[in-house]
Amino acid sequence: MSRPPKTTKQMAALRFDNRFTRILPADPLTENRRRQVYGSCYSRVKPTPVAAPRLVAYSPEAATLLDLSEADCRSKLFTQVFSGKLQLPEMDCYAACYGGHQFGNWAGQLGDGRAINLGEIINSRNERWTLQLKGAGPTPYSRTADGLAVLRSSLREFLCSEAMFHLGVPTTRALSLILTGETVERDMFYDGNPREEPGAIVCRLAPSFIRFGNFEIFTARNELTVLQQLADFTISTYHPHLGEPSPDVYLQWFNAICRTTAELMVHWLRVGFVHGVMNTDNMSIHGLTIDYGPYGWLEDYDPNWTPNTTDSTGHRYCYGRQAQVAHWNLAQLANAIYPLIGETEPLEQALSDYTAHFDQGWQAMMAAKLGLVAYEPSLDRELIQELLRILPEVETDMTLFFRQLALLPMNPLAAAMTKEEQIAPLTSVFYRPEQLTHAYTNRLAAWLDRYRERLRKDNQSDEVRLKRMHAINPKYVLRNYLAQLAIDKVEQGDFSLVEELLEVLRHPYDEQPGKERFAEKRPEWARNRPGCSMLSCSS
Ligand code: AMP
Ligand code: MG
């Protein structure tokens, strides 16, 4: 059934229910001055009006979450509201107070330094969506920074949020990308070479933007009443089925966070996503990917790879460590909510359940990536481990490898093919053909023999296996260099590549004839180009 067309009247008809500000304690000060804020969950603050907002792109699927039509999104009012120039009457704007552990160290108060929440919408499906502008000006939590965001980071957040959604990865959503018409000075690599960059604002949507750090700050300050208020608010709003808050309910809630976080880690590893800054202030209590900064997509499979230049020596947040870091972060959250529970043992149990849940999810996911019907520990542990040892031996594009693996003929007749014939469909996935020595080719062929043997036990046809593999191994991801090409174009006033990427990334598992250029491995020019292989937090 198609819905009746909506007009821009819908913008005015958005139904607000601002529970966060209605229920939780507010900072009594309302002046927008940087400060430590005590005993409060948030400070009321309005976006700073911008000079000449201009819509670059919006996400039709995200707009649907607010029941907004194309006409609404193309209206002047939309650009004004989602650039922060204008507020709808029922909006109640605020910046949240939170703390966090950054790179393993307690950092004290952080807070929404450049994010301003506009309020909460209840849509026609009775879903609650919090609206938040990123880059809309300073707040009491801006510390020494300006509260602004540049086009390059905003575009990366906009496209990646929606790409992740279409990949089936839990994430905050992005409604719109708007140029502010103003410039922002940034020293991209902190090397004394600042430049003026176009400013931009993304409107993000999520059930809430509550992070682990929102709880940590109150415990660190011994503000336990507010800690409990925030926990009770979170449970009654987002987990009402758990019932009246009690130590047992807090524990069940923590268990739920452990589960959704484990599942999120499995998804990141599945698609080759590296968050880049997994500080506890960047961990959503809903198990969503949140705060797209110096994230990156694995090109060649290298578990040690981190896109974040700030992390280039420690590799704390590299691809292969993400699940362990999430565990460490959950332990910080456990410490934060301990006063509500008063017992360490069940919290430790929940943390070890996280590990078990992650391991199980990871094994099932890897088996699915290989097209196996189910993970059989005795057969598959070593099969998967050997593959993960082989992949980094030579530069192998992770996304293309799994996609192409599905195309290899695995029926018994294929066993009669030469090694070269067998691996032919894979030749396009290697970055450096000169690395394909005899020894390597033999090792890969031996693994393929073993894989074929394993597949025989499942007794599926190649067609069925291919279909299953292509449904879990994406063809199109937001390769680092593609985002950079889109940024370069928008800086020249051309928005077409953003639109095209947004469209391609809506169907990441489909072949999409004519769009193959977006599925190619990283071109050589992008190997060491800033923005393509190296990203900084400066955004
Ligand atoms: P991040 O790790 O990038 O998510 O940010 C860490 C903290 O720095 C958060 O409290 C942000 O709100 C804050 N922050 C980052 N960039 C800015 C900025 N340009 N202006 C104000 N605060 C910022
Ligand atoms: Mg953050």
Side-chain angles (χ1 to χ4, degrees), residues 57 70 147 164 173 341 375 378 411 487:
E70 180 177 349
M164 292 285 261
R173 302 294 301 275
I341 293 165
Y375 178 79
S378 61
N411 55 56
I487 293 163

Side-chain angles (χ1 to χ4, degrees), residues 313-330:
T313 45
H315 293 258
R316 181 180 175 89
Y317 298 144
C318 66
Y319 172 79
R321 289 195 60 186
Q322 297 186 108
Q324 282 160 265
V325 170
H327 182 272
W328 191 89
N329 289 342
L330 284 162

Side-chain angles (χ1 to χ4, degrees), residues 42 99 127 192 363 391 435 475 490 525:
Y42 64 94
E127 297 164 341
Q363 288 159 352
L391 287 180
Q435 292 178 328
K475 174 163 178 160
V490 174
W525 62 259

Side-chain angles (χ1 to χ4, degrees), residues 460-468:
Q460 319 173 76
S461 68
D462 278 352
E463 294 71 37
V464 169
R465 180 177 58 91
L466 180 140
K467 249 195 151 145
R468 295 178 65 241

